[in-house]
Amino acid sequence: MAEAILSATDLVKHYPIRGGVLRRTVGQVKAVDGVSFELYKGETLGIVGESGCGKSTLGRLLMRLEEPTSGSLIFDGVDVYKQRGRAMRKLRRDIQIVFQDPYTSLNPRKTVGDIIGEPFDIHPDVVPKQGRRRKVQELLELVGLSPEHINRYPHQFSGGQRQRIGIARGIALNPKVLICDEPVSALDVSVQAQVVNLMEKLQDELGLSYVFIAHDLSVVRHISDRVGVMYLGKMAEIGDEDEVYSRPTHPYTQALLSAVPVPDPTLRNKREQIVLQGDVPSPANPPSGCRFHTRCFKAQEKCKVDVPELILRPDGAGEHFSACHFAAPREIIETIDVSGAATPAGGWAAAEQV
Amino acid sequence: MTTTESSSVAATRGEARRQATADSVYKPKDGLLLEVDDLFVEFHTDDGVAKAINGVSFDLYQGETLAILGESGSGKSVTAQAVMGILDMPPARITGGQVRYCGQDLLTMPDEQRRKTRGPEISMVFQDALSSLNPVFPVGWQIAEMFRQHRGMNKSDAFERAIKLMQRVQIPAAKERVKAYPHQFSGGMRQRIMIAMAIALDPAVLIADEPTTALDVTVQAQIMGLLQELQEERQMGLILITHDLGVVADVADKIAVMYAGRIVERADVYDLYRQPAHPYTKGLLESIPRLDLKGQNLAAIGGLPPNLMRIPPGCAFNPRCRYAQPLCTQDRPELREVLPSREAACHFSEEVLNG
């Protein structure tokens, strides 16, 4: 594959829990606890996981909106966490972010022109002052909004349109990497598809690399080239989209995929669902050994003690990275129906039968 | 209805009497529980009148799961609130129609009588369990309130019943956690508590408004499983309000698809997914990412849902519809039978059905 544009090594982010009169640190929330991966040029890396797994913290670390507890991040040969001042500011141009909630991430008192133009105030050398308005109008057009709307305020737009404004702001400085933190989760299904299409179009036109963080597995599968599955601050499995979705070897990935309802009633009661017991444990006090062992259907004594490494493990057809002592593929029957648009069901369905 | 040994005589008698009245007043005919008939709801605001529901009709039978599917602003939650009788009036105003429960119109019922239907007859689970539970009372107290208010039970009996219910909805260590506060529970556990409250008085109709939208997929699977189990056990009529096509496919018997305050298609779940009869339904199903179409554009529905203050004349969907003809901008299509036991509100359903 192409060269890596962003490579994270052993990223760790612990948040202190303070207590007592002296506000002494009494514990650590281990939001991200040793995550490594590479993002290649022009690809989309999907990051999936349930709430509290650390995927949003990871996004903020990649932006350096949070300082890591340890670990390194190399962007284009430069160590991001070692840069300061002017050099860091220059670097920020190349890594931008689109936030989840289009309602709270846009300043309600600013016009769309001000919001999208703000990056140019901070980086004045990108576009000269006289050309800014034109540039903003070009951006609006690029994301499918009317350039005449430049003087409107965010409340005059719908959720999908606001997310387009957020995307326009994200690409204003011609970044190389765009971190998308749940960019379509707040949108309705019909509008979600429009925004996903827009993001794919922009990727082709501008040669962007995406880190696409989301909890919706089917959207992630649609847009991603590679996918990483996170659980409690660690990467459970990472590989090509096809490897992770068709031949998952980590029990958590298998459970997650089987729990997603498939939009096809004919598969009802035919899919074997792995229903996990209980909730995700607190990241302040993660289980010993493999973090998934408290909910895992394969767990054995070894899992309580040994932390499984994220290494290449066989998946039936080849091998990909998985962090499970007992990594093994399950029998999966794909239910693809290609007989025509009248039967859109099936989708990416990973129906499983034993 | 089982009564605990320690229940006082008065409470038992009170409960029995209420039970008897309830039994005599509400008897479903041939399993028909709920009939919503040509319902209209408007919201009067400073900016104008928003027509949230414009003639919605549906029936619900015992043991049946009806899914109401729609995007935000389609009127699905307002429908549920109107049935429950918990619309804020004003600004809302019910301008027409009937909601009949076992033949009796709930909308014209005296308030006091209607209040008594909420809980024992019709009950509701809300989307956001954190904001629906009272943060300053223990969860057990809140579940027990149902028994104290409606059954006139004393405190300790009601608490006993609350523990039993918490066990029924599979909350681990229910006895120890009955005095815990909502914030001490996870999202999935809070939703279980909401469900425990909703089923406390054995309602005939349960309305679940986006019950799993705020939850993770693995927890969603647990909660949907629990709801289904309870429904089968008690033969409840379940109205599931959701925007998630996947959840609907898993649990629903019948589906009503809403758009701009109207039901645009009504069908059996298998028929609807196999062969949608309304362009909007078809568009929704096509906008789901599919494996075999990876790398291609998603088939998005263009445009945006209409503003409810300015619903387009004719068919409300016509500006976004690829089947639209001049007729659609003038003449509003009524819900009609397009195939046996299938209804759609579209002038060109036959063409949609044929692809």
Side-chain angles (χ1 to χ4, degrees):
Chain A
M1 194 138 199
E3 58 185 305
I5 187 160
L6 200 63
S7 73
T9 315
D10 241 345
L11 281 183
V12 176
K13 179 69 192 177
H14 290 180
Y15 293 97
I17 307 169
R18 293 183 197 282
V21 195
L22 300 170
R23 316 299 301 154
R24 255 197 294 242
T25 304
V26 293
Q28 303 272 343
V29 174
K30 294 169 180 157
V32 173
D33 205 16
V35 168
S36 310
F37 64 87
E38 286 187 328
L39 175 70
Y40 301 113
K41 255 181 195 158
E43 76 157 355
T44 302
L45 173 68
I47 304 280
V48 292
E50 297 181 277
S51 46
C53 72
K55 56 190 193 301
S56 287
T57 306
L58 178 67
R60 297 175 68 86
L61 282 173
L62 298 179
M63 278 293 287
R64 207 182 169 186
L65 291 174
E66 301 277 358
E67 291 297 323
T69 309
S70 68
S72 74
L73 180 67
I74 311 289
F75 171 78
D76 239 1
V78 185
D79 190 336
V80 175
Y81 298 133
K82 294 225 169 83
Q83 307 303 310
R84 327 181 148 268
R86 185 172 301 216
M88 186 60 218
R89 210 171 321 143
K90 196 138 184 291
L91 204 60
R92 284 205 188 282
R93 264 188 221 169
D94 291 325
I95 310 177
Q96 290 284 317
I97 191 165
V98 176
F99 292 101
Q100 167 173 10
D101 188 349
Y103 295 87
T104 55
S105 58
L106 302 178
N107 188 334
R109 290 166 180 263
K110 285 189 169 177
T111 65
V112 169
D114 293 337
I115 291 170
I116 301 176
E118 196 172 5
F120 303 134
D121 294 340
I122 300 157
H123 303 277
D125 49 322
V126 178
V127 180
K129 208 152 196 165
Q130 311 88 288
R132 270 188 212 171
R133 214 178 149 77
R134 260 245 311 285
K135 178 74 187 169
V136 170
Q137 286 176 327
E138 276 172 33
L139 283 166
L140 280 173
E141 219 167 345
L142 192 61
V143 296
L145 294 172
S146 164
E148 283 108 66
H149 291 169
I150 189 165
N151 290 324
R152 290 203 185 173
Y153 288 89
H155 74 265
Q156 293 171 297
F157 293 90
S158 70
Q161 288 173 321
R162 278 186 234 206
Q163 200 53 289
R164 286 170 193 264
I165 296 169
I167 292 172
R169 177 175 60 182
I171 59 172
L173 297 171
N174 298 322
K176 298 197 174 86
V177 175
L178 196 61
I179 317 279
C180 313
D181 188 1
E182 304 261 11
V184 296
S185 311
L187 307 176
D188 276 319
V189 194
S190 71
V191 179
Q192 192 173 312
Q194 294 172 9
V195 174
V196 169
N197 284 346
L198 170 68
M199 296 191 62
E200 293 199 307
K201 183 191 104 175
L202 291 175
Q203 182 168 40
D204 290 345
E205 285 176 11
L206 308 174
L208 293 165
S209 310
Y210 288 147
V211 175
F212 195 96
I213 300 168
H215 68 273
D216 184 329
L217 289 145
S218 49
V219 170
V220 168
R221 177 163 212 187
H222 179 82
I223 200 167
S224 303
D225 301 302
R226 289 189 310 134
V227 178
V229 181
M230 282 185 75
Y231 186 77
L232 272 182
K234 280 195 179 295
M235 203 66 95
E237 185 161 7
I238 187 167
D240 287 349
E241 162 266 311
D242 194 42
E243 291 169 342
V244 173
Y245 280 84
S246 321
R247 304 190 294 277
T249 61
H250 197 288
Y252 177 63
T253 314
Q254 291 166 354
L256 202 60
L257 286 173
S258 84
V260 178
V262 174
D264 182 356
T266 58
L267 292 175
R268 197 185 283 186
N269 303 329
K270 288 190 188 134
R271 296 187 305 137
E272 193 227 356
Q273 272 202 4
I274 309 166
V275 177
L276 292 179
Q277 296 306 311
D279 297 304
V280 183
S282 157
N285 187 17
S288 63
C290 173
R291 295 190 168 187
F292 185 56
H293 84 251
T294 52
R295 300 172 80 198
C296 185
F297 52 94
K298 275 187 181 173
Q300 307 206 357
E301 278 309 307
K302 183 183 184 187
C303 305
K304 293 179 190 164
V305 193
D306 283 351
V307 180
E309 265 183 283
L310 185 67
I311 49 170
L312 285 171
R313 296 177 199 260
D315 61 12
E319 49 180 22
H320 66 270
F321 289 94
S322 175
C324 174
H325 295 303
F326 305 103
R330 283 168 71 86
E331 276 300 303
I332 288 179
I333 294 159
E334 294 283 357
T335 53
I336 319 159
D337 194 344
V338 279
S339 57
T343 50
W348 56 277
E352 303 179 27
Q353 283 179 327
V354 182
Chain B
M1 223 20 68
T2 55
T3 46
T4 40
E5 302 126 5
S6 56
S7 66
S8 70
V9 182
T12 321
R13 206 183 292 147
E15 189 186 350
R17 192 186 59 235
R18 280 185 192 86
Q19 199 60 40
T21 355
D23 281 348
S24 62
V25 175
Y26 304 108
K27 269 264 157 42
K29 266 199 201 86
D30 306 322
L32 180 60
L33 290 170
L34 194 70
E35 300 158 89
V36 174
D37 193 5
D38 210 18
L39 187 69
F40 284 80
V41 178
E42 291 177 351
F43 284 82
H44 291 251
T45 68
D46 293 343
D47 301 328
V49 178
K51 299 195 161 154
I53 302 185
N54 307 299
V56 161
S57 307
F58 61 83
D59 298 336
L60 181 73
Y61 289 84
Q62 272 174 337
E64 179 180 70
T65 303
L66 168 72
I68 300 182
L69 187 74
E71 298 182 274
S72 41
S74 63
K76 54 192 196 303
S77 287
V78 177
T79 306
Q81 288 169 11
V83 171
M84 241 344 242
I86 52 170
L87 273 175
D88 277 330
M89 298 198 274
R93 197 179 287 176
I94 295 176
T95 50
Q98 285 193 327
V99 177
R100 289 190 296 272
Y101 174 70
C102 295
Q104 296 197 34
D105 188 8
L106 294 171
L107 300 180
T108 52
M109 208 176 254
D111 281 351
E112 186 53 23
Q113 193 186 344
R114 182 152 196 208
R115 196 180 67 80
K116 287 185 181 141
T117 67
R118 269 178 231 131
E121 310 295 337
I122 306 177
S123 182
M124 189 159 170
V125 176
F126 298 91
Q127 170 177 358
D128 187 352
L130 185 56
S131 56
S132 312
L133 291 169
N134 191 331
V136 298
F137 290 103
V139 294
W141 190 91
Q142 294 184 56
I143 301 172
E145 190 179 17
M146 301 292 284
F147 295 110
R148 293 198 309 273
Q149 288 293 324
H150 285 272
R151 298 270 189 263
M153 269 189 205
N154 68 31
K155 244 184 180 168
S156 59
D157 291 348
F159 245 99
E160 281 297 309
R161 296 290 290 273
I163 294 171
K164 284 218 177 90
L165 271 168
M166 283 171 74
Q167 285 163 344
R168 178 64 198 88
V169 295
Q170 293 145 27
I171 292 173
K175 258 205 176 95
E176 289 79 60
R177 304 198 72 185
V178 68
K179 296 232 162 102
Y181 290 84
H183 73 269
Q184 294 170 301
F185 289 86
S186 69
M189 286 299 147
R190 282 198 286 261
Q191 199 56 275
R192 284 171 197 271
I193 289 159
M194 289 288 297
I195 292 172
M197 285 171 73
I199 61 161
L201 302 176
D202 242 328
V205 176
L206 181 66
I207 304 173
D209 188 358
E210 305 261 10
T212 58
T213 307
L215 305 175
D216 284 317
V217 277
T218 56
V219 182
Q220 168 173 297
Q222 297 168 5
I223 297 289
M224 287 317 299
L226 175 67
L227 273 175
Q228 256 184 302
E229 207 182 293
L230 290 168
Q231 186 207 15
E232 273 163 36
E233 174 187 303
R234 292 156 194 243
Q235 281 299 297
M236 290 187 293
L238 179 65
I239 299 179
L240 179 71
I241 291 169
T242 181
H243 67 274
D244 189 326
L245 290 150
V247 170
V248 171
D250 259 356
V251 302
D253 299 315
K254 291 194 302 190
I255 301 185
V257 181
M258 286 191 74
Y259 188 79
R262 288 168 62 81
I263 293 179
V264 294
E265 178 162 7
R266 201 154 53 183
D268 173 85
V269 62
Y270 295 97
D271 292 339
L272 187 121
Y273 278 79
R274 198 181 59 240
Q275 199 185 19
H278 195 281
Y280 176 63
T281 319
K282 190 170 172 162
L284 275 185
L285 289 170
E286 283 171 4
S287 65
I288 306 170
R290 289 171 63 189
L291 177 58
D292 50 315
L293 297 181
K294 191 178 157 65
Q296 297 179 32
N297 268 346
L298 291 175
I301 304 177
L304 300 167
N307 183 332
L308 294 175
M309 296 192 192
R310 288 185 295 277
I311 296 178
C315 172
F317 187 60
N318 84 68
R320 306 175 73 188
C321 182
R322 69 186 123 123
Y323 295 86
Q325 303 277 335
L327 170 71
C328 303
T329 59
Q330 295 147 16
D331 196 13
R332 193 177 76 180
E334 295 302 321
L335 204 58
R336 65 191 170 91
E337 191 160 81
V338 288
L339 279 178
S341 76
R342 300 211 42 189
E343 292 171 293
C346 176
H347 294 303
F348 302 100
S349 276
E350 284 70 18
E351 282 166 46
V352 181
L353 282 166
N354 294 328

